[in-house]
Amino acid sequence: MSSPGSSRPRRARTVAAAATLALLAPTACGSGEESGSPTINLYYPPEQSMQEVVDACNAQAQGRYRIAYRVLPRQADDQRVQMVRRLAAEDTGMDVLGVDVTWTQEFASADWIREWTGEDAQEAQRGTLAGPLETARYQGKLYAAPKHTNVQLLWYRTDLVPQPPKTWDEMIAQAQQLKGQGKPYRVITMGAQYEGLVVLWNTMVASAGGQILNTEGTKVVLDDGAVKALEQLKQLATSGVTSPSFANATEDPARLEFQSGNGAFQLNWPFVYPALQEADPELAAKVKWARYPGVDENTPSRATIGGSNLAVSAFSRHPAESFEAAKCLRNAENQKISAVKGGTPPTLESVYADPEMDEAYPMKETILAELKDAATRPLTPAYQNISTVISAELSPPSAIEPDRTAKDLRRSIADALESKGVLP
Amino acid sequence: MSGQSGTPLGAELAIEETERAERAEGRRRRRRAPLSEGRRAERRLGWLLCAPAAIVMVAVTAYPILYSVWLSLQRFDLKFPDQREFVGLENYVTVLTNEYWWTAFGVTLLITVVTVAVELALGMGLAIVMHRTLVGRGLVRTAALIPYGIVTVVAAFSWRYAWTPGTGYLANVFGDGAPLTDRAASLAIIMLAEIWKTTPFMALLLMAGLALVPDDLMKAASTDGATAWQRFTKVMLPVMKPAILVALLFRTLDAFRVFDNIYVLTAGSNQTSSVSMLAYNNLIRGLNLGIGSTMSVLIFLAVAIIAFIFVKLFGTAAPGSSDEEKR
């Protein structure tokens, strides 16, 4: 870079410094811009079919922009930490962000993502399921477009269980009966001190008709339903039907344990189904699915939704193209590709009707039914902190004392909401 | 008996005596001697040469420290940028009355005390072995240093897999079950990993101290009939004292900031967080700059107190200071 003729050291140094800075600068300002079509940096978790979707959108854009798929780390926590760190530093190198449903409010409150307005907002809402759409709103405004959703089902062994249980109590009773007969009996699900435990409890709270926060997400409620859910969780953990590693189980170990044939029931996300078919087709043939069990006999369960939303960074230099790219990445055609090849349930109701979905999602009717009255986790910017204190207070589930735990939870959630709390 | 141990003790006293005299002499000289013109110019040049380094140090260490003190006096949560305000010492009250903080503090102290004590004993043994080895000395020393050379996070991952049922060879050693889900077992594993990693470092520092022990002194002691234990406690340890204290100081400060082993092994679940983990959780994951900075400042103070205790009460020489005085 420095011309050999220039002998003045200072100039050489300036050039060198500039070169270094250019190297250190985010990749965004590099490629693409000279040719007139901006590069849209999509920061999204690793997903099998995502590159295919990105390619489809790039073809559709016809040179107006080009999406570059930057893969985030695999762990949700690491994904969030990377994005948060860069957004806090007002990094212009991020354009479209794959934001977990539980982070959307946080990012919106911190002024890190842009509001969806006008035609963009209308398109993001048209035909989108209500539950996922709710996770993309903050204070009545839309801040993201739901990309995909997810919901857990009850997986059970038809050779052991003739009729899937409707409630937890029923399931525990069935498991105890199987145990008495010396058959595989375990109820397998995630009980480690992490988000999975919070999802389990949140589902029980919603199924019992309870609430953790008020509707605005500003105050703790933790009503009788929530206390009832605490009782239910303790009952599950102490009735002798869970696996010994329940208090340390996360999604994948739970799946593996069910695959090894120890369980009669598994409560887990739909990814377990293709995995089981691949690992043990014989067992897979005996496994069916049903709606997630409820707490009360006459009230159907309300399962917690997961999934991901697409948001546009507040520091993006190309907001118009970013909104367009985000809309493309989640349109019906591409959601179908993601669902069929990547295994992520769509947020657009119409996609479920597509016959191509039948093979990838034989359980799509059950998923759709659960999604229609699904529960969300508390929608507040402080969710991450709330989740951390909840999982700490609930762990291990066998040690829950409903009234005392509820009291502790009320205090620590209130502290977390006011940024006063200390995270364990 | 008294005659036997007389010589080594006397030698030790003599060494201390001369050292003290030298130090006093240095002090006197510094106070009195008026500086000559040339010497003053030299000193000015010295300052000039130091200045860039000093400025960089101030920029990279003093500024962040002061900034976190400033942050610790505010309610400042990145999630709620509009609610930033000055709250005085409120964050300190919040942290210092919080049970999570004190649990983490207890865990940190436990890890520090246990690991440093064990490391000192093991490291001393290892140092003596390495010092005495006649065959393959270089090889032995290199081999002993391998654990210290492995990146902590990498080592921690292999420990984690080793202790995980299914993937690990250690998980079922003590009955079946997952040791990393149990608090006491997790803490023991964390301490084991720490000790495994840093004992070589301790041994290396102690070996440098061992090299200070004059062979003549040892020979004299054994001629006088001192047993091996007496030679160790009455000759070696006193001579090695500065080296031992420096090793203890370094390791204590290090151990107090324990982070990576815990982060990988348990991520702080089951109340195994150290104070550094807690600060990370609140600062980086919780985005709470106020509370997180408060914790950082408290950790900084704790480390400063530890260093002060070692330097002032035990008389550990800060690196380089004793040299300067002798010159």
Side-chain angles (χ1 to χ4, degrees), chain B:
Chain B
M1 190 67 198
S2 64
Q4 280 166 0
S5 56
T7 315
L9 209 65
E12 180 215 324
L13 282 178
I15 292 171
E16 252 177 37
E17 197 56 46
T18 38
E19 264 183 9
R20 209 171 299 144
E22 268 175 339
R23 232 176 283 159
E25 169 73 9
R27 234 172 284 149
R28 230 170 295 134
R29 220 182 299 146
R30 221 179 312 153
R31 223 177 300 141
R32 251 193 263 140
L35 291 174
S36 68
E37 191 53 39
R39 224 173 137 89
R40 213 174 293 154
E42 206 172 280
R43 183 163 285 188
R44 216 178 303 128
L45 179 69
W47 275 111
L48 277 175
L49 291 174
C50 281
I55 289 168
V56 169
M57 280 290 279
V58 167
V60 301
T61 64
Y63 170 73
I65 291 172
L66 292 176
Y67 186 58
S68 46
V69 171
W70 168 235
L71 284 177
S72 74
L73 301 175
Q74 300 176 43
R75 175 179 175 177
F76 187 10
D77 191 327
L78 283 180
K79 294 189 288 290
F80 304 103
D82 309 337
Q83 294 172 22
R84 181 175 179 174
E85 57 176 337
F86 185 83
V87 295
L89 294 175
E90 202 179 285
N91 286 334
Y92 288 88
V93 175
T94 306
V95 172
L96 291 173
T97 54
N98 187 282
E99 56 178 317
Y100 292 137
W101 168 260
W102 289 111
T103 311
F105 197 79
V107 166
T108 312
L109 278 187
L110 177 80
I111 292 176
T112 307
V113 170
V114 173
T115 58
V116 173
V118 175
E119 281 164 18
L120 180 65
L122 286 180
M124 184 61 93
L126 200 59
I128 291 174
V129 171
M130 291 200 289
H131 191 64
R132 291 266 169 269
T133 322
L134 299 173
V135 191
R137 188 178 276 206
L139 194 71
V140 169
R141 291 181 186 183
T142 315
L145 267 178
I146 287 175
Y148 195 66
I150 296 174
V151 179
T152 314
V153 173
V154 176
F157 267 107
S158 62
W159 282 114
R160 194 180 85 186
Y161 289 126
W163 290 105
T164 302
T167 54
Y169 56 98
L170 288 172
N172 297 326
V173 172
F174 306 104
D176 48 20
L180 285 175
T181 63
D182 177 61
R183 186 176 187 220
S186 310
L187 286 175
I189 289 172
I190 289 166
M191 289 191 273
L192 189 73
E194 280 285 304
I195 291 167
W196 177 82
K197 179 188 73 171
T198 38
T199 298
F201 177 66
M202 191 71 131
L204 202 71
L205 288 179
L206 292 176
M207 211 170 67
L210 266 182
L212 288 177
V213 183
D215 268 347
D216 296 347
L217 216 53
M218 297 294 283
K219 274 186 206 141
S222 75
T223 313
D224 284 342
T227 60
W229 180 249
Q230 280 172 329
R231 271 177 281 152
F232 177 66
T233 54
K234 301 255 156 97
V235 183
M236 266 163 74
L237 286 187
V239 178
M240 282 175 70
K241 192 185 147 201
I244 292 175
L245 284 175
V246 166
L248 278 181
L249 171 65
F250 279 23
R251 276 305 307 144
T252 310
L253 296 185
D254 248 12
F256 194 80
R257 295 174 294 140
V258 56
F259 178 84
D260 20 20
N261 264 318
I262 300 180
Y263 181 81
V264 174
L265 282 167
T266 65
S269 60
N270 300 314
Q271 303 180 316
T272 51
S273 279
S274 68
V275 283
S276 307
M277 272 297 297
L278 214 59
Y280 170 85
N281 281 346
N282 284 276
L283 201 57
I284 309 287
R285 284 178 51 201
L287 305 178
N288 197 337
L289 302 190
I291 296 279
S293 302
T294 305
M295 291 176 176
S296 310
V297 171
L298 290 171
I299 295 170
F300 172 75
L301 288 177
V303 166
I305 289 170
I306 293 173
F308 178 83
I309 290 173
F310 268 97
V311 173
K312 285 292 168 196
L313 302 186
F314 296 149
T316 312
S321 63
S322 58
D323 284 351
E324 183 201 76
E325 273 176 4
K326 262 177 221 158
R327 231 169 262 140

